[in-house]
Amino acid sequence: MNVTLRQLRAFTGVYRTRSITRAARELGITQSAASLLIQQLESQLGVKLFDRSTRSVQPTLAADDAFQSAERMLSDALGLSRRMRDLAQARAGRVAFVASAGAASALLPAVLARFRAAHPDIEIDMRDVAADDLVPRMIATDAEFAIGSVEGEIAEMTVETLTRGRLSAIGRRTADFAARRSLTWDELAERPTIAMRRETRIRMQIDQALGPQGKRLTPTYEVTLINTALAMTAQGLGLAILPATMLPAEQFPTLIARPLVRPAITRPVSLLQRQGRTLSPAAQAFVSTARAVLAQRTGRGS
Amino acid sequence: MNVTLRQLRAFTGVYRTRSITRAARELGITQSAASLLIQQLESQLGVKLFDRSTRSVQPTLAADDAFQSAERMLSDALGLSRRMRDLAQARAGRVAFVASAGAASALLPAVLARFRAAHPDIEIDMRDVAADDLVPRMIATDAEFAIGSVEGEIAEMTVETLTRGRLSAIGRRTADFAARRSLTWDELAERPTIAMRRETRIRMQIDQALGPQGKRLTPTYEVTLINTALAMTAQGLGLAILPATMLPAEQFPTLIARPLVRPAITRPVSLLQRQGRTLSPAAQAFVSTARAVLAQRTGRGS
DNA sequence: GACATTCATAGGCAAAGCTCATGAATTGAT
DNA sequence: ATCAATTCATGAGCTTTGCCTATGAATGTC
């Protein structure tokens, strides 16, 4: 058998109190148990630690020597427990994840704000990447999860749809536009529109979905960055054709989104995780915050 | 129950080998025992440490975090064991003791040399004091023992006589003097003598012992320091009246000691220890070295 | 698809660990 | 000086822990 922390606890207790009885009380064990623990420790270390009579318990020089190591180990043990408890309660730690640029700019700011309020000491490492890089970066780095639009299966990963954003027309809150429940794709032809360039994921999905229906989007403007599209829309240059989830209400308070139908095209906001790997408590907390925020958002319409 | 070092050993093993089976082999336990230890640790820390499937054992972030503390504690534990083993074997540590000036100059140098050869890493703290200070210093300081001439009992202390030095006449190795087995006190009257001053312990003892016999020492010279007496003797100024144990043969190779008889007066060389306190292994080793050296010395005549 | 490897779990047994009771030594009070 | 009180050590007995063997489930390999 080897030295145990139990023995060391008894040892430091006796060393400090100079009494086996008192130390035992502190530890919540009987005096005889404490006595045995000291004896064991002495025999395992091969050193007498206390000169004891019924009347006094005097530490030997060896005990003076051992005391420091013992204290350090015990405080390390306590520190470890505390640290793990903090990690478990997401009061310490770090969340590293990948987010597509779209999610990062529109969806996640709210999540981040809420998460930070609840878990102020968690380090957040959000890697915002172009949509195409989402999965490769997730695979290549130590990110615990990824948030973005992913369709289909990916090896070694689980994909879960958090919410679906309907492709929408985003425009200024004019009486006319605000009155609409929805717009059809056909109706867009009559109006100036701002869409993403053909190379982008969003646009590719639109074209793929409309093609079989014999329809086609012919935008007035084509841009690369979502923000550009929204800024142009805010200027009244036309309707932006985007998932509603990509409209940050705080940033563009004058804009509103109205779903496009016939056909309704939806785009998932997905959560990507490594299969068979548990998220750290901090990451779990983050994910559930994200769920909560997205649920609200969906509730008030998307 | 609390975290145990056993669990931590299993943990670091698994962490390093990324395998419960291999770690178990290292620890000399079965795979199932190791598996249980990990489970216990996880439940006690409230944190998942490994994502395990039958095919892989992946440390979580919490495990990365915990690993360092765990390693430190284990190496502390090892260090403690080793340190205590060194102390036990008197391969490390420190001996603090008090020695009367006489013992320190004549008896102990040989002991120190031998002890140091056998225990090169032990720190030695020898406090050499005047004979009268021996006991007070022993009581007041943290010295583990004292060596010097002590008669009678002392509270809280054990007094053990290591050897007895006979009061002797010390003189140059002349054919005449060397031929003598012993001298009587009466014979001293015919010769020049060098004795310690009346205030010294040695002298007081001589006077007390001779008084009842109606005898009296009337020295030619009276000095305070033993070394002075010996140096004078070496110069041929007379016979030094001292315990034979106080003649350091190495320092005064020309001098020899011959016991004084009628009456024979002896003076103990005592070992003083605190009652009920064990000596540190280093001190024990020192004391037994002292015994061995003194035994030799007694053997070759004093 | 059979095989081998690895982790988890259950049952059973030995050992450790604790408590309770008691004894021995020592101190302090009556 | 005797007695009560305190404190540490020890032994008996019971509970809990800890380990091993055996087996099952999952997964990657040939």
Side-chain angles (χ1 to χ4, degrees):
Chain A
M1 244 297 184
N2 228 316
V3 173
T4 70
L5 290 176
R6 233 180 148 55
Q7 291 164 358
L8 294 182
R9 259 184 276 275
F11 166 63
T12 56
V14 173
Y15 186 89
R16 252 174 298 127
T17 60
R18 317 256 129 144
S19 156
I20 294 183
T21 305
R22 276 194 293 277
R25 258 200 295 276
E26 274 184 14
L27 297 175
I29 58 178
T30 58
Q31 167 268 322
S32 63
S35 177
L36 288 176
L37 285 172
I38 298 296
Q39 289 175 43
Q40 288 168 11
L41 186 60
E42 286 183 322
S43 94
Q44 270 147 28
L45 293 178
V47 163
K48 199 152 196 285
L49 293 170
F50 298 101
D51 276 317
R52 27 201 201 284
S53 70
T54 53
R55 218 59 211 170
S56 83
V57 177
Q58 272 296 320
T60 62
L61 294 176
D64 292 333
D65 201 293
F67 182 67
Q68 308 194 14
S69 308
E71 285 268 273
R72 198 160 87 111
M73 290 174 64
L74 292 176
S75 89
D76 276 2
L78 195 65
L80 177 61
S81 295
R82 274 209 281 257
R83 170 90 182 140
M84 291 298 113
R85 209 198 45 214
D86 284 352
L87 288 182
Q89 299 176 350
R91 292 183 6 179
R94 177 188 153 83
V95 184
F97 65 98
V98 184
S100 67
S105 68
L107 244 41
L108 290 177
V111 177
L112 289 168
R114 187 133 138 203
F115 181 76
R116 187 124 257 270
H119 305 280
D121 295 326
I122 301 281
E123 241 180 282
I124 297 171
D125 180 359
M126 175 169 85
R127 293 106 189 239
D128 48 329
V129 301
D132 284 333
D133 282 343
L134 193 75
V135 174
R137 276 292 279 276
M138 174 69 183
I139 291 172
T141 69
D142 63 342
E144 290 192 74
F145 58 91
I147 291 181
S149 174
V150 173
E151 300 268 23
E153 310 247 307
I154 296 164
E156 312 263 288
M157 300 270 171
T158 60
V159 180
E160 178 196 349
T161 301
L162 295 178
T163 184
R164 299 194 72 92
R166 277 191 279 183
L167 259 290
S168 303
I170 293 172
R172 293 205 285 189
R173 192 191 299 278
T174 59
D176 177 39
F177 187 61
R180 305 292 306 262
R181 285 280 99 205
S182 62
L183 284 82
T184 65
W185 287 96
D186 289 337
E187 288 177 285
L188 290 182
E190 309 150 17
R191 310 176 179 230
T193 53
I194 307 160
M196 306 299 286
R197 303 181 67 83
R198 293 177 192 284
E199 309 86 57
T200 64
R201 282 290 200 92
I202 296 175
R203 180 62 183 282
M204 278 163 65
Q205 200 192 355
I206 294 173
D207 291 348
Q208 268 169 34
L210 292 182
Q213 313 259 334
K215 299 188 174 167
R216 192 143 175 276
L217 177 65
T218 52
T220 317
Y221 304 97
E222 292 194 354
V223 300
T224 306
L225 299 174
I226 292 169
N227 229 281
T228 309
L230 291 171
M232 289 168 70
T233 306
Q235 280 298 317
L237 297 182
L239 294 175
I241 309 305
L242 287 172
T245 50
M246 295 208 169
L247 171 62
E250 301 74 18
Q251 209 176 327
F252 295 98
T254 62
L255 300 184
I256 55 174
R258 288 295 174 264
L260 287 163
V261 295
R262 286 188 227 159
I265 304 177
T266 64
R267 216 163 161 275
V269 175
S270 313
L271 174 69
L272 215 68
Q273 300 182 48
R274 286 174 221 285
Q275 214 155 42
R277 308 276 259 123
T278 33
L279 295 180
S280 69
Q284 282 173 29
F286 188 93
V287 167
S288 67
T289 303
R291 271 189 233 282
V293 171
L294 293 187
Q296 279 180 13
R297 202 164 273 243
T298 307
R300 75 169 192 252
S302 66
Chain B
M1 244 297 186
N2 228 314
V3 172
T4 69
L5 289 177
R6 232 178 151 56
Q7 291 164 358
L8 293 182
R9 259 185 276 276
F11 166 63
T12 57
V14 173
Y15 186 89
R16 251 179 314 195
T17 61
R18 317 254 129 145
S19 155
I20 294 183
T21 305
R22 276 195 293 278
R25 258 200 294 276
E26 274 183 15
L27 297 174
I29 57 178
T30 59
Q31 166 268 322
S32 65
S35 176
L36 288 175
L37 285 172
I38 298 296
Q39 287 175 46
Q40 288 168 10
L41 186 60
E42 285 183 328
S43 94
Q44 269 146 29
L45 293 179
V47 162
K48 200 151 194 286
L49 292 170
F50 298 101
D51 277 317
R52 29 201 199 284
S53 71
T54 55
R55 219 60 212 172
S56 83
V57 177
Q58 273 295 320
T60 61
L61 293 177
D64 292 332
D65 202 293
F67 182 67
Q68 306 193 18
S69 310
E71 285 267 273
R72 197 160 88 112
M73 290 174 64
L74 292 176
S75 88
D76 276 1
L78 196 64
L80 177 61
S81 295
R82 273 210 279 257
R83 170 92 181 139
M84 291 298 114
R85 209 197 44 211
D86 284 353
L87 288 182
Q89 300 177 350
R91 290 182 9 178
R94 179 188 152 84
V95 183
F97 64 97
V98 184
S100 68
S105 68
L107 244 40
L108 291 178
V111 176
L112 290 169
R114 188 135 136 201
F115 181 76
R116 189 125 256 271
H119 305 280
D121 295 325
I122 302 280
E123 240 182 283
I124 297 172
D125 180 358
M126 175 169 85
R127 294 105 189 241
D128 47 330
V129 300
D132 283 334
D133 282 342
L134 193 75
V135 174
R137 276 293 278 276
M138 173 70 183
I139 291 172
T141 69
D142 62 342
E144 290 194 74
F145 57 91
I147 290 181
S149 175
V150 174
E151 300 270 22
E153 310 247 309
I154 296 163
E156 311 264 289
M157 300 272 169
T158 60
V159 181
E160 179 196 347
T161 301
L162 295 178
T163 184
R164 299 194 73 92
R166 277 191 278 181
L167 259 291
S168 302
I170 294 172
R172 294 205 284 189
R173 191 192 299 277
T174 58
D176 177 40
F177 187 61
R180 303 294 305 261
R181 286 278 98 204
S182 64
L183 282 83
T184 65
W185 289 96
D186 291 335
E187 288 177 286
L188 290 183
E190 309 151 18
R191 309 178 180 230
T193 53
I194 307 159
M196 304 300 285
R197 301 180 68 85
R198 290 175 194 284
E199 309 86 56
T200 63
R201 283 291 199 90
I202 296 176
R203 180 63 183 282
M204 279 163 64
Q205 201 193 358
I206 293 172
D207 291 348
Q208 269 169 33
L210 292 184
Q213 314 257 333
K215 299 185 175 168
R216 190 141 177 280
L217 177 65
T218 52
T220 316
Y221 305 97
E222 291 196 353
V223 299
T224 307
L225 299 175
I226 291 169
N227 230 280
T228 308
L230 291 172
M232 290 167 69
T233 305
Q235 280 300 316
L237 297 182
L239 294 175
I241 310 305
L242 287 171
T245 49
M246 295 211 167
L247 170 62
E250 301 73 16
Q251 210 176 328
F252 295 98
T254 62
L255 300 184
I256 56 175
R258 289 294 174 264
L260 286 163
V261 295
R262 287 189 224 157
I265 306 176
T266 64
R267 218 162 160 275
V269 174
S270 313
L271 173 69
L272 214 69
Q273 297 182 52
R274 286 174 220 283
Q275 214 155 41
R277 307 277 259 122
T278 32
L279 296 180
S280 69
Q284 282 173 28
F286 188 93
V287 166
S288 66
T289 303
R291 272 189 232 283
V293 170
L294 294 187
Q296 279 180 13
R297 202 165 273 243
T298 307
R300 76 170 192 251
S302 65

